[in-house]
Amino acid sequence: MKKLHRSSRPTAFLALIGLLTLAPHTSAQQATTVRLGFFPNLTHAPALVGLERGLFQKALGNVKLDPRHFASGTTLTEAFAAGQIDIAYVGPGPAITAATRGMPVQFLAGASEAGAVLVARKDTPIRSYKDLSGKIVAVPSLGNTQDISLRHLLSEQGLKSRADGGTVTVVPVPPADTVSALAGRRADAALVPEPWGAALEAKGHRVIGTEKTVWRGGKYPTTLVIVNARFAQANPALVASFLKAHASAVAFLVKSPAAAQTAVNAQMDKLTGEKLDVRVLQRAFARTRFTTILDPEAMREYAILNVNAGYARSVPDLAPFFRK
């Protein structure tokens, strides 16, 4: 791990974090609806399985589930900050930044680990991380988990983004649009969560960074479950019920991968209007680990990367944000 440094990264993301402390909160009473945020990504598969199999609604009983899917961590965090979401599947980067900025967020459980790869366009000479100098690299959104991972990879290679005075152009592209972005030569490479990495590979593009070389040998959280702390305080039974359903979804993913792939594909089709090739989905599954465990040490190290990436000024004590 490299020594911490501070940088100033003025982004809309940091600005919106402040919204939550100002936004009126309406869920400090018994909820009649649980508003759930997630992405149509394989790294959010527990959410997809929970929806497809009806696990969440069954666990919540008469309380209505209101699922809302988003294209990136930025848009999801905007909704969370505005008090429009109660529980969310989100990457560690936005979750840690939210905690750092004083948002009433609580970390409930892990959801997935690894499941992100760096893919280079097939007609480029890119063969290694160092070859990214002078190139355009896509990430799902600025400040999200893959963006922070990319900036760590660049730092390890002695490279920087152009915004930091370096030679690598980092651009936000929604994961589902990376196939067209590389086909249209609007990006030379992309660090994306699965199944979009496997989908790019199926188009002939090259994986130059696997889920294990991105960081920590693949033992890093990619998605976790968070809740608005005020909602959790007012609705402890609902949160406990949701977590049981989440654990059931993770167990299904681990114990019945073939059936889980079918469920994930069915939900992806409903959300995006497109089914994935079975071989693409199988490859993406092999690169992703599903778990309810959230490693505090991995989160702390991620907080350091968050500082190094310029999205936070200090490493917070994350212990108070973990659900007791």
Side-chain angles (χ1 to χ4, degrees), residues 77-98:
T77 309
E78 286 173 351
F80 195 82
Q84 298 170 355
I85 295 176
D86 304 307
I87 300 176
Y89 287 81
V90 71
I96 291 170
T97 302

Side-chain angles (χ1 to χ4, degrees), residues 121 138 171 173-174 176-190 200:
R121 203 178 68 226
V171 296
V173 176
D177 294 338
T178 51
V179 172
S180 61
L182 264 63
R185 298 189 177 188
R186 289 182 280 113
D188 301 304
L200 289 171

Side-chain angles (χ1 to χ4, degrees), residues 124-126 131-137 162 167-170 187-189:
T124 69
I126 301 172
D131 296 331
L132 295 175
S133 180
K135 305 302 183 186
I136 301 172
V137 185
R162 288 196 183 276
T167 58
V168 182
T169 302
V170 181
D188 301 304

